[in-house]
Structure formats: C-alpha cells, structure tokens
Amino acid sequence: MKLQSQSMLYLSVTILAIVTIWAALFYWSVNRAIKRSLDEGLENYKRLIIEKANADSTFLENGYFDESFFTIQQLKESPIKNIPDAYIDTMLLMQDRNDVTLELEPVRMLITTFYINGKYYELKVANSIVEKEDLIRTILLNTIGLYIILISGIIFINNIILKRLWNPFYNLLNQLKDYKFGTTKDYPLIKTKTQEFIDLQKATNILLKDNKRIFEQQKLFIGNASHELQTPLTIAINKLELLLETKNLDEHQVEDIAEVYQIIERMIRLNKSLLLLSKIENKQFENNEKISMNEIINHSIHALEDFASFKKLSFTVKESSNLIVEFNPNLAEIVISNLLRNAIFHNIENGHIEVSIEGQSIIICNSGINSALEKEKLFTQFYKFNSKGSGLGLSIVMAILNIYNLEIKYQFKDQQHCFQISF
C-alpha cells in the first residue's frame, strides 16, 4: 500500500473515532443544555402560576392539562416537610398541528407544592421537548455530513497539496529505480527546499558512490582474475595436446595425460561459468529486445544434437504457440542451452527429452533417475545431485530469471524431471 493511501486510511479511521466520540459528547451536552433551559422556563412558569393563583382563586380549579400545560390538585394531607421541586421526563397526550388525533409526546415536567389560604396544592407544569429520536437523528445526520466534509477536505489536501510536497521524494525514488551501475553516469538529483529530502538525497548518493566504487573494483578483479586463470590453463591445455602427439608414450602415460587434460578443461568451463554468473548478478547484460523463444529453442536443440546423439537421446518439440518475449538474446540462449544441457547431461541412455511451448510457458522434461530432486537445493550454486557437472548450470538459469522477475518451477511427474518457466 502506498504511503499516501496508508496516511489516508489512518486519518479516516482516526477522524471517524474522533467524530463519533464528539457526536456522543455533543448529544449529551445539547440534551443537558436543552433540559437546563426548559427547567429555567418551568421555574419561571411556576412562579407566574402561583402569583396568579394568589390573585385569582379560579386558577386553583385547573385539574387537568389543557392548552396552558399545567394542573393544580389540592393535597388531602399537608406535607410533613418541604418537598423539593422535581424535574422529570414523561409522556403526555398532545396533538400537534401535523397530528390527526392525540398522541403521546415527550415533555419536561416540574412537580412542586405551594401553600395558599391554609391549604397545600400540588402543581405540575409541563413543556414539550424535542424527541430523543429526532435529536439523535439530527445529530447523526450532521455528524455524517461533518465526517464527509472532513474526509473530502483531507482527500483534497492529500491529492493536491501533499502530493506536491512529496513530489521530490517520488522523483528521487524513480531515479533510483532507473539507476544502473556501469551505465548510469549521473547521481540522482532533486530540486527541493525540504531539509529531510535534501538529507535523504545526500545519504543516498554517498551509498551509491561507495557501492559504485566496490562494483568497479569487483568487476576489475573478476576480469583480471579470469584472464590470469584462463591464460595458464589455455597454455597447459596446449602443452598437453602437444604431449599427446608424442609417439614414445605408453598407454598408461596417455591415460594420465588425458585425465589431466579433462581436469583442466573442467577448470576452464568452471572459470567461464563463474565469470558469467558474476556478470549476470552484476546486471552487465542490458539490451533487451523482442525475441522468439521458439527460434531460441530450435537453435539450441540443433546445436546440441550431436551431444544428444552420442547419448542416444531423442528430442520431441511441441509448439502450441509462438512465444514472443522482451529479453536479452544472449541471456535467453544461455537459459535454454543450460536447461537442455542439464536434460542431456543427467539423462539415461536411450532416454528422451520433451520440450513444450504452451501459451506463455516453456516446459522441458527429461528422463533420468527415478526419484525427485531436492527443490530447496536444486538452484543453489555448486549443488550436485550426482558427481557430474559443475553445479552452476541451474544457478546461472536462476540468476538470469531473477533479473526479469521470472519464476522457474521443478516437478517430478510420470518418471520425468520437468522444469517450467512462465513469462
């Protein structure tokens, strides 16, 4: 998830929690303020009623709630002590202008007692209040509206203002993605006044300079080491070939020389493989172009036909599609060649190799030992499931595919060892 999306998510959740708590507190505060205001009005209404009752005794005969919203009832017994005023929420039958019949409506009621002409009376004064459901509904709708306005404002700020603020960071990130040791000359550069981004650029360039220096040193060392190893090995091969041409050698000497010859040849192949693996891991192969994997496969099979014929192996090629990919041609040939060599080298006499091109996949299956190989170690360097080979062929294949974020799968099925590459 992008930083912008994460910040938006956290802000939305946080604001939702804050607004929810605010709505609950606002409802409690409004409800309390309304009741306090009503209680003050009822207190004032009580005082006026008692004053009028003292002046006009007919007020004392109002024994039921009418449009004046109060009732007075004489107490049969005088209260033992002064009863404090009581404020309660209750329901009364009322008829609003929108009601056809009387309906129960919420009211705030004051219950009190007063004394006139030697008699005690109970006074109940009522005033209609906003229904809780109406109040909650109003606050809820306003809260939702407030939340939408806040989120809309944050999205606007996030997409317009913050996006501009983070532009130097994304610019630096894109330059780092495109940076390649050995090909990119200039270090990433961004124009910004934000100190944090300036510090990030400086730290990044220091790391790049150190890594570039190490990369150049490693590249030079590998090239020199390969050259220095290759030269004496080649000389040794030439001398052995001249020695084999000598006529006065017995059979035992010829066998010893041939054995040394094979060892040196193996060292030469190993040296070349290690150099190739190093170049691949350092991403020294670029120049991608659209190529036909069908052509690469057919060309590689043709080049290895003599090797396969020597082991009496048969090839089967199934092409259900023409697979075109964006790839370095040399690396593509190395991948297919190594897999085919692996299938030939570790096959059995009179065995077979089947190559299939299906959709966006290449599958190479071969006969061999009648048991599955260790998947976890199969593509590691110098891993050998028998004493043959250098143990680098599949490692080179994996290193190349990693450059292109491709996956290779191994499977043992129907007594065949199958390798599948999906593009």
Side-chain angles (χ1 to χ4, degrees):
M1 185 183 290
K2 288 187 176 181
L3 180 63
Q4 186 177 358
S5 301
Q6 284 187 354
S7 61
M8 189 66 216
L9 176 63
Y10 295 147
L11 280 172
S12 300
V13 173
T14 304
I15 289 174
L16 179 61
I18 292 172
V19 168
T20 302
I21 295 171
W22 172 85
L25 293 174
F26 183 70
Y27 167 76
W28 177 81
S29 177
V30 168
N31 196 37
R32 185 181 178 189
I34 290 172
K35 287 183 178 180
R36 188 184 297 119
S37 177
L38 288 173
D39 291 348
E40 289 176 358
L42 291 172
E43 177 69 25
N44 183 59
Y45 200 16
K46 177 195 82 170
R47 182 179 58 79
L48 293 174
I49 292 172
I50 293 174
E51 287 178 357
K52 288 187 177 183
N54 280 317
D56 185 0
S57 60
T58 58
F59 261 70
L60 299 173
E61 298 175 359
N62 192 7
Y64 61 92
F65 286 99
D66 53 13
E67 64 275 2
S68 57
F69 281 95
F70 75 92
T71 180
I72 299 175
Q73 292 182 349
Q74 183 181 345
L75 295 176
K76 295 180 180 179
E77 297 180 359
S78 61
I80 298 173
K81 58 180 181 177
N82 291 331
I83 300 174
D85 294 349
Y87 297 91
I88 62 171
D89 294 329
T90 185
M91 305 290 287
L92 284 180
L93 285 171
M94 299 172 58
Q95 186 174 0
D96 295 336
R97 62 180 181 179
N98 296 326
D99 297 334
V100 179
T101 58
L102 290 173
E103 293 182 1
L104 287 173
E105 298 289 344
V107 295
R108 183 73 170 169
M109 182 179 293
L110 166 62
I111 303 175
T112 186
T113 58
F114 63 93
Y115 178 79
I116 293 179
N117 299 327
K119 297 179 181 179
Y120 285 93
Y121 296 89
E122 182 184 63
L123 171 64
K124 292 181 179 180
V125 186
N127 197 351
S128 62
I129 60 176
V130 180
E131 292 189 31
K132 286 185 178 181
E133 291 78 6
D134 293 339
L135 183 60
I136 292 172
R137 188 184 302 110
T138 302
I139 293 176
L140 179 61
L141 291 175
N142 282 278
T143 302
I144 293 172
L146 175 64
Y147 181 73
I148 292 172
I149 292 170
L150 286 174
I151 294 300
S152 300
I154 290 171
I155 291 173
F156 173 77
I157 294 172
N158 209 29
N159 289 338
I160 305 299
I161 301 174
L162 292 182
K163 194 173 182 180
R164 291 182 182 177
L165 184 64
W166 280 91
N167 266 342
F169 172 80
Y170 290 113
N171 188 14
L172 177 63
L173 189 62
N174 290 330
Q175 291 184 58
L176 287 174
K177 287 179 181 178
D178 296 333
Y179 190 89
K180 292 180 176 62
F181 289 112
T183 56
T184 307
K185 295 181 180 179
D186 299 326
Y187 292 107
L189 178 65
I190 55 174
K191 294 180 180 179
T192 179
K193 296 180 181 179
T194 306
Q195 187 60 44
E196 287 79 5
F197 293 154
I198 294 172
D199 294 340
L200 178 62
Q201 177 186 272
K202 290 179 179 178
T204 302
N205 288 345
I206 290 172
L207 287 173
L208 287 176
K209 288 177 182 177
D210 291 340
N211 278 277
K212 185 178 181 180
R213 177 177 53 80
I214 295 169
F215 171 78
E216 294 295 340
Q217 290 175 352
Q218 182 183 4
K219 183 179 175 182
L220 182 63
F221 171 79
I222 291 170
N224 291 337
S226 174
H227 177 73
E228 293 300 323
L229 282 172
Q230 198 72 21
T231 301
L233 289 173
T234 304
I235 293 171
I237 285 287
N238 292 334
K239 288 187 176 292
L240 286 174
E241 288 176 349
L242 292 173
L243 191 59
L244 284 172
E245 293 177 0
T246 306
K247 295 180 179 179
N248 58 349
L249 294 175
D250 58 32
E251 185 178 349
H252 180 71
Q253 289 174 324
V254 172
E255 288 178 356
D256 288 343
I257 294 172
E259 185 177 349
V260 174
Y261 185 89
Q262 290 176 355
I263 292 171
I264 295 175
E265 271 198 331
R266 184 180 172 189
M267 290 176 66
I268 291 173
R269 290 195 300 270
L270 181 62
N271 183 51
K272 289 181 178 179
S273 296
L274 287 171
L275 179 61
L276 175 63
L277 188 59
S278 176
K279 286 182 176 179
I280 292 168
E281 289 177 346
N282 288 332
K283 297 181 180 179
Q284 291 178 237
F285 294 89
E286 296 296 334
N287 305 327
N288 295 328
E289 58 185 73
K290 288 187 177 181
I291 59 172
S292 170
M293 294 305 295
N294 302 60
E295 294 179 6
I296 297 289
I297 288 170
N298 290 321
H299 180 267
S300 299
I301 290 174
H302 179 72
L304 295 170
E305 274 182 349
D306 292 340
F307 187 21
S309 298
F310 178 76
K311 294 195 69 172
K312 300 178 182 178
L313 302 176
S314 61
F315 269 108
T316 304
V317 180
K318 298 178 180 178
E319 301 178 67
S320 61
S321 64
N322 185 24
L323 181 55
I324 305 296
V325 296
E326 190 86 16
F327 222 91
N328 180 284
N330 295 327
L331 294 182
E333 192 166 343
I334 291 170
V335 169
I336 299 302
S337 178
N338 278 13
L339 288 175
L340 291 176
R341 285 177 182 275
N342 184 73
I344 295 171
F345 199 69
H346 300 287
N347 215 315
I348 56 176
E349 192 172 348
N350 296 317
H352 65 275
I353 300 171
E354 183 179 297
V355 182
S356 303
I357 303 174
E358 302 174 358
Q360 294 295 111
S361 298
I362 296 173
I363 305 170
I364 299 176
C365 297
N366 65 274
S367 53
I369 59 173
N370 294 323
S371 61
L373 306 175
E374 297 181 75
K375 292 183 180 180
E376 296 78 11
K377 300 179 180 180
L378 193 55
F379 297 97
T380 56
Q381 294 181 16
F382 301 109
Y383 170 70
K384 302 177 184 178
F385 42 87
N386 55 34
S387 58
K388 301 177 182 179
S390 63
L392 288 174
L394 292 179
S395 299
I396 292 172
V397 171
M398 177 61 80
I400 294 172
L401 295 179
N402 284 340
I403 294 174
Y404 295 92
N405 295 320
L406 298 176
E407 186 180 9
I408 182 170
K409 295 180 180 178
Y410 165 77
Q411 190 175 13
F412 182 69
K413 61 179 181 179
D414 301 330
Q415 301 302 311
Q416 292 188 113
H417 300 275
C418 296
F419 293 86
Q420 178 178 349
I421 304 173
S422 299
F423 292 88

